[in-house]
Amino acid sequence: MPIRLFDSLTREVRELRRPDPSDPKDVFSFYNCGPTVYAPAHIGNFRTFVVNDVLRRLLELEYGPDKVKHVRNLTDVDDKTIKRARDEGRSLSEVTQQWTKKFEDDCKALNCLPPHDSPKATAHIREQVDMIGVLMKKGNAYRAADGSVYFKVSSFDNYGRLSRVKERELQLGSALAGKPQAVDADEKEDGSDFALWKAHKPDDGANAWDSPWGRGRPGWHIECSAMSKAILGDTIDLHTGGEDLLFPHHENEIAQSECCNGVPFARHWYHSKHLLVDGAKMSKSLGNLYTLDDLTAKGFSPMALRYALLMGHPRKQLNFMLDSLQAAESALVKLRSYRAGLVKKAGTAARDPADVMEFDFVFGSLEDDLNTPGALGALFDDMKFPTPADVFPVHAANLLFWFDRAMFALGLKVDEPSKPETSIPSEITALAEKRWAAKQAKDFATADALRKELAAAGWSMLDSKADYKLEPLRK
Ligand code: AMP
Ligand code: ZN
């Protein structure tokens, strides 16, 4: 079946382009805007990256592993990364390398396939300067008095097609030109024109490069346009990111790329919706911002987080609760035991390749606009019958083949325990959560009783202001 996916530009579910199987050079090009590497990524960021990983896996299953090229960049120079380095008195590269490593470790723990290329913005300054040069030559950009270069939005007729920004402005009542748009720290403050090149300021410290317009650094948007062009070419098959990137980031990428290259930038745009935590936007001040480490410290496995992130449709906001992780851990136990049953029943039997396809609704749901909750539902439906006990070994071998393919598509690792031996049992995590809730509600009697219960089970809870950690008691 072809893969159908919502396209944010045309606002309809459309088939993705299928590369020509007989042309080895024809690959499906897929650019996913990557993280800004200045702090640990939170579980909202990982929702976006896990959804993109399922997409990558599905493309590989459908087109073949060597017919897909997946690029995910690293934003390693912008206001946030520079500020972090300055605040910590470290070099920009020290800070960004530290957080790139952490990001990659977390992605690995979440079983995300590494992209084929992870370009860093600082390694592509020349390409960015070249693109800005073309835009200057074509009259789409101008140099301001301080040496910054801006893209002239009025020079691109199609500006606003992706985000329908003109409609949105009418609703919000803010004019496109001449008014500040507090959308991100990278925007010019007095109008819709946006920075391509930012003249060096004292706060930037040593983080500046030479350009025909003076020393400075690139704007955020040009980074992706230039890296995408350098690695995947002028027109790409699919460009993705979280919903917040649609405007202005992707709108600006289209403007720069299409004015520079003179051809359409991306054939398909996909934006997944955000993750909320306990019904609210994640923020440090609300105490609801979780990283992967926060969850593993509570005893949950990275695989349970991956599962929980797939429980909602990627095009709907997903409300995350710790309870979802309990449900995810139980689902993983069932998947592991089902697989172990198939392995045992199949024994040494080989699958008959002429045998029927199994778990077809799992694949069908994913191919139908990446319906991950639909795929998980179909998986558990199909596991009800036949069970490993109901089938002959040769059939068990066939079921195992298709089950493993479904697990590959979803990126769920269920052929080994998802938790390390020393992990925290879910009953203990449940007790700890109860105690934490009691403490927050100032019900200290209940909190103390639960602490004793935990101690009796061999666990202690170390509280900090915003959170707690569980540790096994030494015997
Ligand atoms: P950043 O590191 O801020 O550039 O974000 C990396 C990716 O995470 C982008 O694709 C964002 O759209 C996405 N993202 C940020 N916050 C959330 C959230 N709460 N839920 C889902 N995705 C998010
Ligand atoms: Zn980007």
Side-chain angles (χ1 to χ4, degrees):
M1 262 215 346
I3 303 174
R4 289 158 44 79
L5 193 68
F6 186 79
D7 173 19
S8 317
L9 188 70
T10 57
R11 304 233 170 137
E12 52 188 28
V13 177
R14 291 173 45 228
E15 277 182 26
L16 288 174
R17 187 184 79 89
R18 177 179 284 276
D20 179 355
S22 64
D23 178 358
K25 285 210 200 93
D26 188 15
V27 295
F28 186 92
S29 48
F30 168 22
Y31 188 96
N32 171 206
C33 284
T36 309
V37 278
Y38 71 109
H42 56 60
I43 60 172
N45 302 133
F46 284 121
R47 175 182 206 206
T48 296
F49 295 124
V50 163
V51 164
N52 275 272
D53 182 60
V54 174
L55 198 45
R56 148 85 184 270
R57 288 164 174 273
L58 197 62
L59 288 164
E60 280 198 10
L61 281 177
E62 199 77 27
Y63 303 155
D66 49 359
K67 297 294 280 178
V68 181
K69 184 151 185 186
H70 172 206
V71 174
R72 187 181 62 212
N73 69 291
L74 296 159
T75 297
D76 66 345
V77 55
D78 76 332
D79 293 351
K80 288 185 268 189
T81 45
I82 291 178
K83 181 173 185 316
R84 178 56 54 99
R86 198 174 56 238
D87 290 351
E88 294 180 356
R90 299 160 77 200
S91 72
L92 183 64
S93 65
E94 254 181 282
V95 168
T96 57
Q97 273 170 27
Q98 173 194 346
W99 294 113
T100 297
K101 164 97 177 55
K102 178 64 183 147
F103 175 71
E104 285 169 354
D105 289 349
D106 285 355
C107 283
K108 194 164 174 218
L110 288 166
N111 202 28
C112 291
L113 296 172
H116 300 105
D117 208 332
S118 309
K120 298 192 292 189
T122 54
H124 291 272
I125 301 287
R126 191 182 53 74
E127 290 89 335
Q128 297 173 64
V129 168
D130 287 351
M131 264 187 111
I132 299 170
V134 175
L135 292 170
M136 286 288 278
K137 224 183 258 164
K138 290 191 168 182
N140 300 108
Y142 58 91
R143 182 182 186 274
D146 67 347
S148 293
V149 178
Y150 292 96
F151 183 89
K152 199 164 151 184
V153 165
S154 61
S155 73
F156 181 54
D157 284 347
N158 277 337
Y159 193 85
R161 250 184 87 206
L162 178 70
S163 57
R164 317 293 203 264
V165 75
K166 285 177 187 148
E167 289 167 26
R168 184 181 0 199
E169 270 156 24
L170 286 175
Q171 281 164 19
L172 297 179
S174 84
L176 180 63
K179 288 233 175 116
Q181 292 182 37
V183 276
D184 78 47
D186 268 346
E187 298 311 283
K188 189 186 166 198
E189 295 244 304
D190 60 351
S192 57
D193 294 351
F194 56 89
L196 296 166
W197 188 257
K198 297 178 154 197
H200 182 258
K201 289 199 201 74
D203 270 356
D204 293 343
N207 305 303
W209 291 263
D210 286 328
S211 84
W213 315 284
R215 274 181 84 66
R217 60 180 168 100
W220 170 39
H221 314 301
I222 195 75
E223 296 180 358
C224 284
S225 280
M227 289 186 277
S228 166
K229 176 180 168 71
I231 299 163
L232 297 173
D234 290 354
T235 299
I236 59 175
D237 286 309
L238 174 64
H239 197 313
T240 66
E243 57 176 327
D244 57 315
L245 299 191
L246 196 127
F247 182 81
H249 186 49
H250 289 162
E251 195 71 64
N252 293 352
E253 278 189 43
I254 294 177
Q256 300 158 157
S257 294
E258 299 199 351
C259 288
C260 173
N261 303 328
V263 292
F265 179 36
R267 294 191 176 96
H268 215 114
W269 287 89
Y270 181 74
H271 295 92
S272 41
K273 288 270 161 45
H274 271 189
L275 185 77
L276 304 177
V277 173
D278 298 328
K281 193 176 166 195
M282 256 182 289
S283 87
K284 276 210 174 111
S285 55
L286 285 178
N288 68 351
L289 188 147
Y290 293 117
T291 63
L292 178 61
D293 285 354
D294 293 334
L295 299 179
T296 51
K298 289 183 192 296
F300 296 108
S301 65
M303 208 38 54
L305 175 61
R306 183 175 176 110
Y307 190 102
L309 293 176
L310 296 176
M311 281 160 70
H313 196 294
R315 283 206 302 111
K316 291 199 181 121
Q317 288 192 328
L318 174 64
N319 187 27
F320 174 87
M321 289 173 292
L322 285 176
D323 282 355
S324 336
L325 290 177
Q326 304 280 7
E329 294 284 14
S330 319
L332 289 167
V333 167
K334 285 184 196 142
L335 293 174
R336 281 197 292 275
S337 115
Y338 177 83
R339 187 180 188 281
L342 288 178
V343 169
K344 197 162 165 215
K345 187 60 168 284
T348 54
R351 130 178 206 267
D352 178 354
D355 224 341
V356 291
M357 176 183 184
E358 302 281 357
F359 297 104
D360 38 349
F361 283 110
V362 176
F363 302 104
S365 301
L366 293 177
E367 285 155 357
D368 184 11
D369 196 22
L370 215 62
N371 181 354
T372 55
L376 294 173
L379 180 68
F380 279 90
D381 271 354
D382 283 358
M383 281 160 52
K384 280 188 204 134
F385 187 82
T387 67
D390 300 322
V391 295
F392 293 116
V394 62
H395 189 195
N398 188 50
L399 275 171
L400 182 59
F401 172 84
W402 290 105
F403 180 80
D404 280 349
R405 249 175 112 85
M407 292 301 101
F408 173 83
L410 292 160
L412 296 174
K413 261 179 112 110
V414 294
D415 51 351
E416 57 192 50
S418 61
K419 291 182 174 193
E421 292 295 293
T422 53
S423 71
I424 307 166
S426 55
E427 318 82 77
I428 299 297
T429 313
L431 278 179
E433 280 298 311
K434 248 173 138 180
R435 182 186 158 268
W436 184 250
K439 194 178 160 194
Q440 299 303 302
K442 304 211 180 320
D443 177 0
F444 297 113
T446 308
D448 279 351
L450 287 163
R451 180 187 278 289
K452 278 187 194 134
E453 219 177 300
L454 279 165
W459 292 88
S460 81
M461 241 172 116
L462 309 176
D463 295 353
S464 66
K465 215 165 157 195
D467 209 352
Y468 67 84
K469 226 176 143 172
L470 275 166
E471 282 195 352
L473 289 167
R474 287 182 204 286
K475 297 229 164 81

